[in-house]
């Protein structure tokens, strides 16, 4: 088993084997952009599902697109490029309480900012994206990844559960539970209020 993809041909072969689709639009292709989409969605704990779509740009960026909603539109993105710390110097100021203004101390302060490392050529961007997808979505992934059929079944079962099981939930008692107690002639009824148990029989 290969640990890392090293050539663009290997990357495209992996995309083909895993069913990762090229969904690049003509206007994107004209700008040197490529868009790839995984064959499954990521399912979140609130029941929402997100299409896994990735974009590589001519300027060196590799991004994960945030895609959701009825029309599967891209709502935003986040960077996948590696980060390096870059030092810069800024003027050091202190607050003058007499004039209620900040004044330059005559010194400079060294600060570090994050800077994205651009992936220089198209071949390296495709390889980088392929390795990122393999690492984060296929090898030891802790994400909840589901296909179309599973999504459909989850929605159906969830809807049935809310319609059938939860419709009788009323506080402080559930009608079905009270009916079961009466049917079984249960004499010993206990209620716990603020940690104290009370017998009602």
């Amino acid at each position: 088993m290969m640990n890392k993809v090293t050539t663009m041909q290997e990357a495209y072969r992996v995309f083909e084997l895993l069913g990762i689709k090229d969904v690049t639009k003509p206007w994107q292709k004209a700008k040197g952009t490529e868009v790839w989409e995984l064959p499954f969605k990521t399912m979140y704990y609130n029941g929402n599902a997100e299409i896994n779509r990735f974009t590589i740009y001519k300027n060196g960026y590799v991004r994960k697109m945030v895609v959701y909603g009825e029309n599967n539109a891209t709502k935003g993105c986040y960077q996948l490029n590696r980060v390096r710390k870059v030092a810069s110097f800024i003027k050091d100021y202190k607050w003058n309480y007499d004039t209620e203004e900040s004044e330059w101390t005559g010194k400079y302060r060294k600060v570090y900012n994050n800077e994205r490392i651009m992936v220089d050529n198209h071949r390296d961007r495709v390889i980088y994206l392929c390795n990122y997808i393999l690492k984060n979505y296929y090898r030891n992934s802790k994400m909840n990844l589901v296909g179309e059929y599973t999504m459909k079944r989850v929605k159906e079962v969830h809807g049935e559960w809310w319609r059938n099981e939860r419709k009788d939930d009323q506080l402080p008692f559930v009608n079905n539970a009270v009916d079961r107690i009466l049917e079984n002639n249960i004499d010993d009824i206990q209620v716990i209020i603020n940690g104290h148990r009370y017998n009602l029989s």
Side-chain angles (χ1 to χ4, degrees):
M1 182 178 142
M2 78 171 83
N3 290 326
K4 273 194 165 187
V5 169
T6 56
T7 68
M8 191 165 70
Q9 288 74 21
E10 284 178 1
Y12 283 140
R13 183 74 179 132
V14 167
F15 289 165
E16 183 184 346
L17 290 171
L18 296 177
I20 300 170
K21 295 183 291 187
D22 181 357
V23 293
T24 310
K25 295 184 171 123
W27 63 269
Q28 291 171 316
K29 197 175 282 290
K31 290 173 25 176
T33 302
E34 271 187 24
V35 184
W36 296 90
E37 197 171 285
L38 301 188
F40 49 78
K41 296 179 180 178
T42 300
M43 181 85 169
Y44 295 103
Y45 295 105
N46 62 2
N48 291 335
E50 180 186 340
I51 292 172
N52 294 299
R53 188 177 294 159
F54 302 87
T55 308
I56 54 178
Y57 296 89
K58 193 175 181 179
N59 63 3
Y61 280 109
V62 181
R63 293 176 175 149
K64 164 84 166 74
M65 311 313 287
V66 179
V67 182
Y68 58 90
E70 293 296 320
N71 57 357
N72 294 328
T74 300
K75 310 292 184 187
C77 65
Y78 56 89
Q79 313 295 339
L80 302 181
N81 297 62
R82 289 191 177 99
V83 174
R84 67 175 159 224
K85 297 282 186 187
V86 178
S88 61
F89 292 91
I90 60 170
K91 287 183 175 182
D92 189 32
Y93 289 90
K94 71 174 183 178
W95 186 255
N96 185 327
Y97 290 99
D98 296 330
T99 61
E100 295 187 359
E101 292 179 354
S102 57
E103 295 177 348
W104 181 38
T105 62
K107 298 178 183 176
Y108 289 89
R109 241 180 338 131
K110 190 176 190 178
V111 295
Y112 291 91
N113 297 310
N114 288 335
E115 180 180 272
R116 294 286 171 181
I117 301 170
M118 297 296 110
V119 184
D120 291 331
N121 60 59
H122 179 72
R123 179 185 64 84
D124 291 342
R125 287 190 288 274
V126 172
I127 293 168
Y128 182 82
L129 176 62
C130 184
N131 285 320
Y132 177 87
I133 290 171
L134 288 174
K135 177 184 173 188
N136 292 287
Y137 290 86
Y138 287 94
R139 295 183 186 138
N140 302 322
S141 176
K142 291 184 171 71
M143 296 184 177
N144 298 311
L145 307 172
V146 294
E148 290 296 325
Y149 174 76
T150 308
M151 278 297 304
K152 184 178 173 191
R153 286 298 300 145
V154 165
K155 285 181 181 174
E156 287 173 4
V157 170
H158 182 71
E160 288 171 15
W161 183 75
W162 274 104
R163 283 192 299 279
N164 299 328
E165 297 295 324
R166 304 289 297 189
K167 65 182 178 188
D168 292 326
D169 284 2
Q170 298 172 6
L171 295 175
F173 297 106
V174 178
N175 294 336
N176 288 348
V178 174
D179 292 342
R180 269 183 255 125
I181 290 169
L182 296 175
E183 285 173 11
N184 296 326
N185 295 321
I186 299 173
D187 294 329
D188 187 23
I189 300 174
Q190 297 177 344
V191 177
I192 299 174
I193 301 172
N194 292 334
H196 298 287
R197 185 181 304 238
Y198 299 96
N199 290 325
L200 301 178
S201 55

